[in-house]
Amino acid sequence: MAEKIKIDNNVFVYPMPVTLLGANLKGKANFMALGWVSRVNANPPMLGVGVHKSHYTPEGIMENRSFSVNFPHSEMVKKTDYCGLVSGEKVDKSGLFEVFYGELETAPMIKECTLNLECRLIETLEFPTNFFFLWEKSLLLIRKSST
């Protein structure tokens, strides 16, 4: 049997998808790169996202009680990375993508993404470093195949 070694307890289960979390802030669409998206309940289907408190985006989520989770395709890697490097508090990211809105009318979604989840906030859990937003899908959109 292989020997075991003790490692740091701040371990993540990989892979986690890189997504773009969208929220309206001060009348503008804002997007941040996010890797912490989890299924938390089967029936009804509920999911959660973990966002560090230092980010600008939670302000918009709590204000509007809605947000989006957008799954970019590989050709969007540069814009996705950029959204993770700059804060919407300092840089206007509303023009990076073709933005549209669904049934909630307050959760900006990205047309170029392969999959969009429009989310209605159910509950916010506050932890020492992160907010965990529990949500249910209002609308699920997937890009049509070109064939």
Side-chain angles (χ1 to χ4, degrees):
M1 184 162 123
E3 228 179 286
K4 301 284 183 176
I5 60 169
K6 186 177 179 180
I7 60 173
D8 185 4
N9 66 356
N10 194 7
V11 176
F12 298 95
V13 177
Y14 289 105
M16 282 198 248
V18 173
T19 65
L20 290 162
L21 181 67
N24 278 341
L25 286 114
K26 299 180 181 155
K28 290 185 182 177
N30 183 64
F31 299 97
M32 65 169 277
L34 178 73
W36 188 351
V37 179
S38 305
R39 184 175 177 173
V40 296
N41 196 63
N43 193 12
M46 294 169 60
L47 299 115
V49 295
V51 183
H52 196 277
K53 289 180 176 181
S54 65
H55 289 288
Y56 181 57
T57 305
E59 183 181 324
I61 293 172
M62 289 186 267
E63 176 187 329
N64 296 295
R65 310 231 9 108
S66 65
F67 58 95
S68 67
V69 179
N70 303 273
F71 292 77
H73 55 80
S74 60
E75 293 171 12
M76 297 175 66
V77 69
K78 286 185 180 180
K79 286 183 179 181
T80 300
D81 187 46
Y82 179 75
C83 285
L85 294 173
V86 300
S87 172
E89 191 170 20
K90 297 177 181 157
V91 176
D92 181 0
K93 295 184 265 184
S94 64
L96 284 174
F97 308 104
E98 189 173 340
V99 175
F100 72 101
Y101 292 85
E103 296 168 356
L104 297 177
E105 299 179 356
T106 56
M109 292 181 277
I110 301 170
K111 189 171 186 178
E112 300 95 299
C113 284
T114 306
L115 176 65
N116 310 94
L117 304 174
E118 182 185 46
C119 311
R120 184 177 61 84
L121 183 64
I122 296 172
E123 187 173 348
T124 301
L125 302 174
E126 186 173 353
F127 296 102
T129 60
N130 290 64
F131 292 112
F132 193 75
F133 298 110
L134 294 173
W135 49 279
E136 63 183 8
K137 293 184 304 263
S138 169
L139 186 62
L140 173 72
L141 301 167
I142 191 162
R143 190 169 53 186
K144 282 185 181 179
S145 173
S146 57
T147 56

